[in-house]
Amino acid sequence: MGRLLVLLVALGLVSTGCKRSSEEQGTAGRTRIVFKFQPLWGDPAPFRELLAGYSRANPDVELVTEALPNSSDLAHQFFLTSLQGKATDFDVLVADVVWVPEFARAGWVADLSEDFPPARLREEFLPGPVDSVVVEGRTYAVPWYVDVGVLYYRTDLVPRAPRTYEELRRFTRDAMAKAPGIQGYVWQGRQYEGLTCNVYEAIWGHGGQSLGADGRVLLETEAAREALAYLHGLIADGLSPPTVTGFGEEEARRVFQEGRAVFMRNWPYAWSEAQAEGSPIRGKVGIAPLPTKDG
């Protein structure tokens, strides 16, 4: 377990709670650790160097990396099937924040509180990531990186980033009139967790909250109704294409990066893609916080 925790310190990952039937040895008697992960979007070089650095620092460990599909839903289903079946063929995994409580309560991931006390995490990490990995006062994962939804916009088609939903609508209409045939605002509308992110961002943007005082999910609220009406209205009014209901991150990015949309909601990884050599929108894109109801 000690060596496994060294890897956790280096990578900030989750150790699986299931144990192998015996201490599996790698080549030349080294301890073998199998790491399951989803490939990160963008330049893979920093991640590869992180793994290589761990291997150099721990020559007695054979680190085996096994990539899963980039789809969060597919990765989640893989882990559900494997962990429910008491799989013992991997040791470390990358978990989305919403999976950690589920895996912890099922007893599928190790309690890391002794090596990573919640109080220490709260000193070293942002509050949100810590809340995601500390379940009922115990640590079951270590934060690795932080992502946030942002708005991309075409600087050659709009005067500035919109601050409110009404400005987003107005800027979109004006840009579509200026550039006939271009689509307006693309986002993640497919039925998967990316849509959940878009919905909650809209709820927060309308002044709503995720949870009530009793810990129950809040959806029957005025803010939630306004948020869903706003997202539906984008499509109904032609400001977002009907195809957005089939979009994940990459579908939205490709449309925007090909110069076929005015605005896009996505993660920060899309910035380097948009500014890459040969990108049709290189030098013509800005990035800003998502708009809200009141700006």
Side-chain angles (χ1 to χ4, degrees), residues 212-248:
D214 58 357
R216 294 171 63 88
V217 176
L218 295 177
L219 288 178
E220 286 291 333
T221 66
E222 186 60 31
R225 282 186 283 271
E226 288 183 0
L228 295 174
Y230 155 70
L231 291 173
H232 181 269
L234 291 172
I235 301 171
D237 296 339
L239 302 180
S240 292
T243 51
V244 82
T245 57
F247 281 12

Side-chain angles (χ1 to χ4, degrees), residues 261-286:
V262 182
F263 291 105
M264 173 181 70
R265 181 271 179 207
N266 217 315
W267 308 104
Y269 87 95
W271 173 258
S272 59
E273 300 289 335
Q275 300 290 13
E277 191 76 37
S279 169
I281 59 172
R282 184 179 185 184
K284 301 177 183 178
V285 58

Side-chain angles (χ1 to χ4, degrees), residues 22-47:
S22 61
E23 284 295 322
E24 185 171 344
Q25 294 297 310
T27 58
R30 294 187 297 165
T31 299
R32 189 171 187 262
I33 293 177
V34 179
F35 168 36
K36 289 279 191 183
F37 69 99
Q38 292 171 263
L40 298 177
W41 286 309
D43 183 3
F47 176 54

Side-chain angles (χ1 to χ4, degrees), residues 34-101:
V34 179
F35 168 36
K36 289 279 191 183
F37 69 99
Q38 292 171 263
L40 298 177
W41 286 309
D43 183 3
F47 176 54
R48 290 173 181 166
E49 176 54 32
L50 192 65
L51 296 175
Y54 173 79
S55 293
R56 288 193 297 268
N58 298 274
D60 58 337
V61 175
E62 179 185 357
L63 177 61
V64 179
T65 58
E66 297 179 354
L68 295 171
N70 229 335
S71 166
S72 292
D73 287 356
L74 291 178
H76 181 245
Q77 188 57 50
F78 169 82
F79 287 130
L80 283 183
T81 302
S82 298
L83 298 173
Q84 281 178 334
K86 302 185 184 302
T88 61
D89 58 343
F90 61 94
D91 307 286
V92 182
L93 63 97
V94 177
D96 205 329
V97 291
V98 293
W99 306 347
V100 178

Side-chain angles (χ1 to χ4, degrees), residues 13-14 96-105 109-114 116-143:
L13 307 176
V14 185
D96 205 329
V97 291
V98 293
W99 306 347
V100 178
E102 175 187 13
F103 291 1
R105 288 169 182 148
V109 290
D111 184 340
L112 307 177
S113 303
E114 183 177 344
F116 298 95
R120 173 185 161 194
L121 293 188
R122 296 194 187 282
E123 291 176 356
E124 299 181 0
F125 294 94
L126 294 170
V130 175
D131 289 341
S132 299
V133 303
V134 174
V135 181
E136 297 175 358
R138 309 295 294 175
T139 303
Y140 289 93
V142 181

